[in-house]
Amino acid sequence: MSTSVTGPFIRLFGRYLREQGLPVTHQREAVAEAVFGAHAHLSVDDLERVLRERGERIGKATIYRTLDLLVRSRLVEEHDFGEGFKRYEHRLSRQPIHEHLVCLECGRVIEFRSPEIAEVEGRVRAQLGFVPARHRLEIHGLCRECHEAGAELPHDGLTCPIETV
Ligand SMILES: [Zn+2]
Ligand SMILES: [Zn+2]
């Protein structure tokens, strides 16, 4: 993706940094550019790879700190899909409200939309007077490719029966 597409987002991030009294550095902009330029749910390892491919030499610590700032600026959302690491996606994507499918075999994250969830929120509000702000729906399982390739859902209980008690 070209800089012209991500430019407005980079400028928003720059404005946030200045408001916080933080310098707008090339490294911070490069990390933001990598996040905004990807329609994906990136791990820190993914980001490190993207940046290296672009010829940027940015350490993990700087990537972590910049992601922290991006999350606090609310331009980027942090996800914990229970994989043992966080993933990041920018909140200005084509689908601002979407849910996630997480493949247990290959780690792919697939987005889908669910108008039913909005209905549930509306119903809960009407019935319980609760004002919803956000929700989280993740379905973990096997993506089509992994399922068709013969992957099977892990059965933790069978391989480790003592822990199922
Ligand atoms: Zn898969
Ligand atoms: Zn997403």
Side-chain angles (χ1 to χ4, degrees), residues 40-41 79 81 89-90 93 95 98-100 109-111:
H41 307 77
H79 294 293
F81 292 136
E89 80 174 310
H90 72 83
S93 61
Q95 295 194 32
H98 60 261
E99 322 303 332
H100 296 105
V109 178
I110 301 159
E111 297 184 346

